[in-house]
Amino acid sequence: MTTSISSALNAYQQALGRIGAKTPVSEAKPAQNSDFGSMVRDSIENAVELSQQSEKMTIQGIQGKADIQDVVLAVANAETALETVVAVRDTAIQAYQTIMQMPI
């Protein structure tokens, strides 16, 4: 029992070391323009970039050239970015619908 726990701890430490040693997939770009439209555009471009990197990493994983943990991390990053874009879209649509229902 002790060996399986120590093996698990070693695996977690190795994974943390790999994650910490790598450069981030995509760092948030500083806001160059302060308007909402450019912020949304930058977020969408970032989500697309993460998706493309995720696809490349998945292909490398299928070919046996990438570690499964790297593939899972890339896919999780792309999924999180997509969920964020969808949440912003849903909020914008809801705000638009609320404004359209307001009496003039």
Side-chain angles (χ1 to χ4, degrees), residues 2-4 6 10 15 28 41 57 60 69 78-80 90 92 98:
T2 306
T3 49
S4 64
S6 62
N10 287 335
R41 182 177 51 251
M57 186 65 69
Q60 289 177 357
Q69 293 173 344
E79 183 179 6
T80 302
D90 292 345
T98 301

Side-chain angles (χ1 to χ4, degrees), residues 29-98:
K29 299 174 185 174
Q32 296 172 354
N33 298 329
S34 60
D35 62 339
F36 181 74
S38 62
M39 181 195 69
V40 171
R41 182 177 51 251
D42 291 343
S43 297
I44 291 172
E45 289 172 356
N46 186 30
V48 169
E49 179 181 332
L50 286 173
S51 176
Q52 290 171 346
Q53 290 175 356
S54 170
E55 289 175 9
K56 289 177 186 176
M57 186 65 69
T58 302
I59 291 170
Q60 289 177 357
I62 291 170
Q63 295 172 344
K65 297 178 181 176
D67 189 29
I68 188 69
Q69 293 173 344
D70 296 334
V71 174
V72 170
L73 184 63
V75 170
N77 286 341
E79 183 179 6
T80 302
L82 180 62
E83 289 174 355
T84 302
V85 169
V86 169
V88 170
R89 179 206 63 186
D90 292 345
T91 304
I93 290 172
Q94 184 179 11
Y96 174 77
Q97 289 173 343
T98 301

Side-chain angles (χ1 to χ4, degrees), residues 19-30:
I19 292 170
K22 293 185 179 210
T23 57
V25 176
S26 177
E27 295 183 10
K29 299 174 185 174

